[in-house]
């Protein structure tokens, strides 16, 4: 990216039949086909904004620019309006803060007092209570305990039939929500999980779609979910003892994690309403479940449908389970996260099933490859195009479009004894992709703060199921339970917005081994 004020060429416009209508319509209703038309850099108009879609490493690297030029905040204020249901006045408080997310304010913005540096303070909460090693571990420990309880409660030593995606949408979501937001939220709102998944389905439409008066349905779902998170906020503030020992506890039933408690406290102290705090809870629910449940489900589907892979994964994860001093079988987390095959499958599934258009607002005129990109334009970079790029990911016999469990393994020759020439080949996890070829968690300062927890949560959930159950594939089914004649594919309704769930469910038979 270089500043060259004399050149004035604009990137090509994406062809369309009806100017300003056809591209927008396809973008909003059929993102999968829209993405197939993108290569290099092309422009179109979306909801009166000039948008440029970029694909390919040469163009994508421009989005890695500093946040005062490649600003992620505009996308977040859009989410504040459309997802959080925040008032215009309170969104303005964020918009008026032009000091950035870094500790050192943007040049010329040093006069903004620290307590009004909302982007920075908000970012700090993520860094300290969500991304840090300490709180990632706390969240993961709570999740593991709660998910193990769900698995025990929902299964037996007799063979039973289960629809895998449905099972994960209910039970993994419950364990994740309780870990993050406590148990009261679900006691107060027994319908919350079902409502959340309805919201998940319209989350993308809400962001870029039609206004409420033309398309009321997505807003009605959002409002229903918002009233549930509001109930939780009110109840937690009425009942939680801010002078008691739980104030710094890793978990409590009212707010849940330390992260959720500190966010609630910060919003109040910074003068934001409970409506905003509840909207934030709703947005975090989306961050928490919208990607992790589809990814864990896809991992299990890939493993279960291939008996050879199943037995390899079983013998690998078996190594991470130990009998503790009470005679209980427990997972050794450190050992689990060092296992190569499960890590390779995790990365492969992220590659194939996360489709997110990383979005940045250009804060001053820039030049990309000789094209002028004007201040105020939006740049979008679809992860799906980079993740399916044959040049970056293809291997002989294993095209980028096909799942290959071993894609991220490298073979290493190890000596079996220090004085011996005898050796053996062992696979190692090896992730060599550049940031421009693999970015399921976005880029830079706005990169997903939940990514460390997500990895733990997903791998633990998959390992718990593979180790604990004998599992047999039965058939593929449609949403209504009828048998499908094909396996699951990405549900393209979700392209561009988050994890793409399977469009078919997998019916399995399972029984507990322990
Ligand atoms: C496989 C799992 C996940 C994937 C693929 C994923 C992906 C993403 C992406 C692509 C972004 C936008 C980044 C950008 O604009 O550059 C994001 C943001 C975010 N994610 Fe995740 N995420 C995952 C799991 C989680 C989890 C478990 C949480 C926990 C709460 C979480 C919380 C968030 C939050 C709060 C943001 C917004 C950050 C901000 O305001 O700057 N995510 N995520």
């Amino acid at each position: 990216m270089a500043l060259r004020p004399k050149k004035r060429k604009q990137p090509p416009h994406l062809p369309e039949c009806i100017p300003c209508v056809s591209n927008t319509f396809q973008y909003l209703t059929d993102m999968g086909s829209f993405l197939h038309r993108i290569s290099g850099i092309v422009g179109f108009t979306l909801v009166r904004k000039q948008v440029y879609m970029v694909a390919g490493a040469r163009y994508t690297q421009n989005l890695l620019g500093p946040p005062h030029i490649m600003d992620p905040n505009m996308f977040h204020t859009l989410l504040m309006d459309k997802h959080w249901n925040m008032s215009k006045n309170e969104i303005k408080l964020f918009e008026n803060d032009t000091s950035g997310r870094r500790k050192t304010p943007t040049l010329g913005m040093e006069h903004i007092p620290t307590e009004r540096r909302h982007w920075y303070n908000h970012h700090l909460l993520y860094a300290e209570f969500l991304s840090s090693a300490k709180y990632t571990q706390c969240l993961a420990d709570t999740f593991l305990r709660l998910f193990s309880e769900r698995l025990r409660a929902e299964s037996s030593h007799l063979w039973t039939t289960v629809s895998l995606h449905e099972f994960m949408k209910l039970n993994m979501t419950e364990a994740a929500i309780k870990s993050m937001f406590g148990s009261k939220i679900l006691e107060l709102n027994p319908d919350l999980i079902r409502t959340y998944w309805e919201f998940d389905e319209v989350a993308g439409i809400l962001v870029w779609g039609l206004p409420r008066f033309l398309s009321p349905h997505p807003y009605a779902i959002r409002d229903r979910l918002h009233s549930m998170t509001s109930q939780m906020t009110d109840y937690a503030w009425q009942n939680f003892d801010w002078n008691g020992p739980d104030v710094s506890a890793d978990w409590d039933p009212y707010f849940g994690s330390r992260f959720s408690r500190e966010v609630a406290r910060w919003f109040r102290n910074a003068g934001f309403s409970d409506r905003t705090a509840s909207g934030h809870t709703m947005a975090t629910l989306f961050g928490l479940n919208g990607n992790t449940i589809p990814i864990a489900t896809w991992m299990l589907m890939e493993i279960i449908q291939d008996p050879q892979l199943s037995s390899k994964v079983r013998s690998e994860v078996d190594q991470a389970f130990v009998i503790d001093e009470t005679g209980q079988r427990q997972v050794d987390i450190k050992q689990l996260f060092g296992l190569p095959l499960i890590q390779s499958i995790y990365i492969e599934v992220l590659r194939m099933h996360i489709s997110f258009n990383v979005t940045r607002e250009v804060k001053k005129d820039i030049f990309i490859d000789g094209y002028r990109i004007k201040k105020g334009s939006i740049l979008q970079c679809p992860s799906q195009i980079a993740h399916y790029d044959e040049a970056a990911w293809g291997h002989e016999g294993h095209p980028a479009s096909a799942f290959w469990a071993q894609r991220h393994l490298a073979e290493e020759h190890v000596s079996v004894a220090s004085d011996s020439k005898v050796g053996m080949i062992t696979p190692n996890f090896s992730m060599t992709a550049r940031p421009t070829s693999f970015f399921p968690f976005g880029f830079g300062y706005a990169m997903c703060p939940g990514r460390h927890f997500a990895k733990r949560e997903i791998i633990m959930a998959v390992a718990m199921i593979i180790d604990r159950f004998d599992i047999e594939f039965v058939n593929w089914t449609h949403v209504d339970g009828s048998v499908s004649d094909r396996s699951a594919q990405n549900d393209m309704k979700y392209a561009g917005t988050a994890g793409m769930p399977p469009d078919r469910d997998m019916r399995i038979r399972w029984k507990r081994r322990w």
Side-chain angles (χ1 to χ4, degrees):
M1 182 165 50
L3 294 172
R4 274 183 276 146
K6 280 190 188 133
K7 285 207 175 181
R8 298 206 173 269
K9 213 164 45 141
Q10 304 270 306
H13 191 80
L14 191 63
E16 57 186 336
C17 316
I18 311 171
C20 298
V21 174
S22 310
N23 282 332
T24 305
F25 184 76
Q26 192 184 37
Y27 183 97
L28 296 177
T29 57
D30 185 7
M31 177 64 78
S33 306
F34 185 89
L35 292 180
H36 276 121
R37 297 167 59 213
I38 308 301
S39 72
I41 178 163
V42 283
F44 73 106
T45 315
L46 179 66
V47 205
R48 296 197 303 275
K49 278 269 180 198
Q50 178 60 53
V51 179
Y52 296 102
M53 301 291 282
V54 300
R58 186 156 120 235
Y59 296 102
T60 303
Q61 66 185 4
N62 290 282
L63 273 93
L64 298 168
H68 65 280
I69 299 180
M70 286 295 153
D71 186 359
N73 293 351
M74 164 266 156
F75 183 61
H76 288 115
T77 50
L78 191 65
L79 293 180
M80 286 172 184
D81 178 22
K82 304 292 188 165
H83 278 189
W84 303 24
N85 188 21
M86 197 169 166
S87 72
K88 300 268 181 277
N89 286 346
E90 291 191 21
I91 294 175
K92 266 264 163 284
L93 297 176
F94 271 89
E95 282 172 346
N96 290 341
D97 168 25
T98 44
S99 66
R101 297 180 182 214
R102 288 175 162 160
K103 188 168 181 204
T104 313
T106 312
L107 213 62
M109 296 301 144
E110 298 82 356
H111 61 280
I112 298 181
T114 309
E115 67 276 12
R116 279 202 276 125
R117 295 198 61 208
H118 300 312
W119 292 111
Y120 167 66
N121 291 321
H122 186 242
H123 187 80
L124 214 57
L125 285 170
Y126 284 147
E128 194 167 344
F129 298 109
L130 182 56
S131 310
S132 67
K134 175 175 175 195
Y135 287 103
T136 294
Q137 190 57 46
C138 290
L139 277 166
D141 288 346
T142 315
F143 172 80
L144 183 63
R145 178 173 54 78
L146 294 169
F147 190 59
S148 301
E149 281 170 19
R150 289 305 308 157
L151 285 183
R152 197 174 307 118
E154 292 296 321
S155 61
S156 81
H157 291 283
L158 299 173
W159 285 103
T160 41
T161 304
V162 168
S163 287
L164 185 63
H165 191 205
E166 271 313 300
F167 182 89
M168 299 299 276
K169 276 170 80 175
L170 193 62
N171 295 289
M172 186 168 164
T173 308
E174 182 183 310
I177 292 179
K178 276 193 191 168
S179 316
M180 184 63 83
F181 294 114
S183 45
K184 295 292 172 196
I185 187 171
L186 291 168
E187 284 167 32
L188 292 165
N189 303 289
D191 217 15
L192 184 125
I193 294 180
R194 201 176 57 79
T195 309
Y196 167 74
W197 286 111
E198 284 181 50
F199 173 77
D200 188 84
E201 215 170 320
V202 296
I205 301 171
L206 274 169
V207 178
W208 298 110
L210 297 167
R212 185 196 282 261
F213 74 97
L214 288 173
S215 168
H217 176 67
Y219 288 89
I221 296 171
R222 180 200 70 179
D223 293 349
R224 216 165 356 110
L225 187 61
H226 193 227
S227 75
M228 293 179 174
T229 55
S230 294
Q231 252 192 310
M232 175 237 166
T233 308
D234 293 347
Y235 191 82
W237 276 101
Q238 280 159 18
N239 291 285
F240 183 76
D241 178 6
W242 286 95
N243 299 311
D246 272 359
V247 79
S248 58
D250 293 343
W251 190 88
D252 78 81
Y254 300 101
F255 286 107
S257 62
R258 181 87 192 263
F259 168 70
S260 148
R261 209 177 307 133
E262 294 299 337
V263 167
R265 176 151 64 178
W266 175 73
F267 273 125
R268 278 221 169 168
N269 291 344
F272 289 95
S273 62
D274 285 353
R275 169 178 161 182
T276 289
S278 310
H280 191 273
T281 300
M282 202 161 68
T284 311
L285 278 177
F286 181 61
L288 182 66
N289 299 299
N291 297 298
T292 49
I293 310 301
I295 292 302
T297 306
W298 274 116
M299 283 182 76
L300 287 164
M301 285 180 166
E302 294 293 1
I303 296 168
I304 293 167
Q305 68 182 302
D306 177 346
Q308 267 192 341
L309 182 62
S310 285
S311 78
K312 275 190 196 157
V313 174
R314 162 76 71 77
S315 51
E316 189 187 71
V317 298
D318 254 357
Q319 299 166 33
F321 282 83
V322 290
I323 306 296
D324 70 11
E325 56 284 359
T326 66
Q328 299 283 327
R329 194 168 165 85
Q330 300 287 4
V331 61
D332 175 339
I333 301 294
K334 207 165 161 232
Q335 172 101 4
L336 180 66
F337 292 111
L339 298 173
L341 182 57
I342 196 100
Q343 290 191 79
S344 177
I345 297 173
Y346 172 66
I347 295 295
E348 183 69 347
V349 166
L350 282 176
R351 182 183 75 78
M352 297 193 69
H353 304 291
I354 294 296
S355 174
F356 183 77
N357 295 344
V358 178
T359 305
R360 302 289 184 257
E361 183 181 15
V362 179
K363 285 307 223 188
K364 58 182 185 189
D365 284 14
I366 56 164
F367 283 84
I368 297 181
D369 212 26
Y371 294 123
R372 177 194 282 274
I373 308 293
K374 284 197 185 142
K375 175 182 171 180
S377 321
I378 305 295
L379 280 187
Q380 283 208 324
C381 186
S383 65
Q384 197 183 319
I385 298 180
H387 290 189
Y388 278 75
D389 178 16
E390 201 53 45
W393 298 106
H395 273 258
E396 212 184 322
H398 302 287
S401 56
F403 172 82
W404 181 32
Q406 285 86 357
R407 194 179 300 274
H408 314 285
L409 295 180
E411 290 189 336
E412 196 191 10
H413 188 272
V414 232
S415 298
V416 288
S418 54
D419 58 349
S420 159
K421 289 211 168 62
V422 183
M424 57 185 218
I425 305 291
T426 60
N428 263 337
F429 172 65
S430 161
M431 183 58 196
T432 49
R434 295 194 188 146
T436 47
S437 300
F438 187 68
F439 46 92
F441 297 106
F443 295 129
Y445 258 68
M447 195 182 217
C448 173
R451 63 194 181 280
H452 305 301
F453 172 52
K455 180 177 177 189
R456 280 169 185 253
E457 183 193 350
I458 293 167
I459 292 185
M460 285 185 319
V462 171
M464 287 300 290
I465 290 178
I466 295 295
D467 195 72
R468 198 159 193 176
F469 292 90
D470 282 325
I471 306 176
E472 287 175 4
F473 170 79
V474 177
N475 54 19
W476 294 102
T477 59
H478 293 272
V479 182
D480 64 5
S482 60
V483 176
S484 163
D485 56 6
R486 69 156 171 86
S487 57
Q489 295 170 2
N490 281 327
D491 187 339
M492 296 308 284
K493 272 204 308 285
Y494 295 78
T497 57
M500 294 181 286
D503 66 350
R504 298 287 187 269
D505 208 337
M506 177 188 260
R507 205 178 275 145
I508 55 170
R509 268 161 39 88
W510 70 7
K511 75 175 166 70
R512 264 204 339 244
R513 294 165 71 212
W514 51 273

